[in-house]
Amino acid sequence: MTVTFDDTALRAPVEPALARQESRERVAREGRRFGVVLGSGWVVFQSVVLVVGAGVLAALAVVAVQFMFGADGADATTFILAALMVAPLAVVRIRSHLRGPRDREVEEYRLERFAAANGLTYRTGELDPQRPAALFGVGTSRVASDIVAGPAPRPFEAANYSFDTWVARARMPHVANYAAFDLQSPLPALTLVTKSPGVAASGWEPTPPQERVAFDGDFASRFEVFTARATEEPVRHLLSPEVQAALMALAERSDIEIVGDRVFVLSRRHLPMAEPAYWEWVSDLAALVSVLEARGRAEQPAGLPDADSARRTRREALFAAPKGGRAAAMGCLVPLLVGLAAAALITKITTG
């Protein structure tokens, strides 16, 4: 049976001043004031370096065009055009700094009230969280954020997560979302790795002694299955056609790890936890875990609430790419091309 969360708090309008006040009180209560200031300062520093660096590259590109059309070198036009070329990037970064904290305050405000309305607990973050899934043993700077936990629809915990890995001296940031559910009956340890196109690299791998197990059919094109040799047969029994269909319907873009007495559904990106569709998905995942348990007990799994096309559409939207990314890129690229064309035209006119 699927439990429905009360998502009224996620849909209700928010008074920005109240959200800001509560955020400041929460930061002071949790002793995070220095960290917030330091983090904000670091983001501003990164933006300044990015804009200045882009300005230098723009100036070099303008100079190169000017040389191509007969100019003797850089002049005032070079720096004016370079500044105009990077102005949209600077505007985007400034707007991000102004809107980002406000949006974050609203998310915390809504999640805190959502948790209270559903008998759940909410924490804004946890450094270096210790969980049994392989994800939590990889990399550095490990942080879980927006941690929501509770006893229903079964004992669970959900959060966004970030960590860094290193290739030589290059830092590789990774993000994820996890929903972990307690099991009421044991299941064999296994890892399912999604093969869905467009999903980011995971940054983590199945832990030894697990190794790849071959499956046939459509399921094999959606997931890779890993388990130890000793549990291969129980895993094959568990992943019946009905269970495979449920996994493909609800978690095609996520990895799944069964370890100890918990099931972890791991998505390779941050998910919008203040959206009602996220909690609709969490309730469906809890039903999926019940299907796994039923199959593990050799019982007939109950059906999943996946026949609702609107529900599927809302779930797919959770994993959709951010809408503003391509528009922002084009907004920065067009001034670059216009600036280079202007440099060529101005140089041609002034040099005769």
Side-chain angles (χ1 to χ4, degrees), residues 5 13 28 36 43-44 50 54 64-65 80 137 152 154 168 171 188 209 219 222 268 289 297 304 336 347:
F5 290 103
V36 169
V43 171
V44 171
L50 175 63
V65 170
I80 293 173
R154 63 166 60 228
R171 182 178 71 91
F219 185 74
R222 310 286 186 91
R268 303 179 189 178
V289 174
R297 295 190 298 264
L304 287 176
L336 173 64
T347 304

Side-chain angles (χ1 to χ4, degrees), residues 34-329:
F34 176 76
V36 169
V37 173
L38 183 63
S40 178
W42 173 245
V43 171
V44 171
F45 173 75
Q46 288 179 312
S47 294
V48 171
V49 171
L50 175 63
V51 172
V52 171
V56 171
L57 292 176
L60 292 175
V62 171
V63 169
V65 170
Q66 289 174 323
F67 275 127
M68 290 173 58
F69 285 84
D72 296 328
D75 54 22
T77 304
T78 305
F79 301 104
I80 293 173
L81 288 176
L84 292 174
M85 289 161 66
V86 300
L89 175 61
V91 171
V92 168
R93 300 301 297 186
I94 291 172
R95 290 183 62 187
S96 176
H97 292 313
L98 293 177
R99 294 181 56 182
R102 303 290 86 85
D103 291 344
R104 179 60 184 158
E105 291 165 358
V106 170
E107 288 176 355
E108 292 180 357
Y109 179 93
R110 284 182 164 154
L111 283 172
E112 191 166 50
R113 280 159 175 74
F114 167 80
N118 289 277
L120 310 175
T121 61
Y122 171 67
R123 291 181 292 153
T124 55
E126 179 182 345
L127 297 176
D128 196 21
Q130 301 297 312
R131 309 290 188 273
L135 165 66
F136 300 95
V138 178
T140 60
S141 303
R142 298 185 286 263
V143 179
S145 58
D146 291 334
I147 306 167
V148 179
R154 63 166 60 228
F156 82 96
E157 178 182 273
N160 281 319
Y161 184 69
S162 62
F163 65 101
D164 296 336
T165 58
W166 294 83
V167 178
R169 295 185 178 180
R171 182 178 71 91
M172 304 292 291
H174 299 271
V175 294
N177 178 277
Y178 72 89
F181 301 90
D182 289 2
L183 288 169
Q184 299 170 356
S185 57
L187 292 175
L190 67 88
T191 302
L192 301 180
V193 178
T194 180
K195 297 168 68 175
S196 180
V199 176
S202 66
W204 67 90
E205 299 290 340
T207 56
Q210 292 190 356
E211 55 188 47
R212 186 180 287 105
V213 177
F215 274 76
D216 298 323
D218 193 28
F219 185 74
S221 68
R222 310 286 186 91
F223 290 99
E224 289 182 309
V225 183
F226 294 83
T227 191
R229 290 187 178 182
T231 53
E232 179 175 346
E233 287 307 314
V235 165
R236 290 188 180 279
H237 172 78
L238 176 67
L239 299 179
S240 65
E242 296 85 1
V243 170
Q244 291 180 18
L247 289 166
M248 289 187 291
L250 293 177
E252 180 184 5
R253 300 184 188 181
S254 302
D255 300 330
I256 296 177
E257 185 174 355
I258 300 177
V259 53
D261 60 351
R262 305 185 83 182
V263 177
F264 288 83
V265 181
L266 309 168
S267 303
R268 303 179 189 178
R269 54 168 297 177
H270 281 173
L271 294 179
M273 295 181 63
E275 290 292 329
Y278 177 83
W279 296 102
E280 190 175 68
W281 182 56
V282 168
S283 66
D284 286 346
L285 291 178
L288 172 61
V289 174
S290 297
V291 169
L292 291 170
E293 287 183 324
R295 181 59 183 172
R297 295 190 298 264
E299 299 173 359
Q300 182 63 33
L304 287 176
D306 191 55
D308 186 347
S309 60
R311 200 177 184 95
R312 288 198 300 271
T313 300
R314 291 190 295 269
R315 183 166 63 243
E316 290 170 0
L318 287 174
F319 295 87
K323 296 180 180 179
R326 182 176 298 180

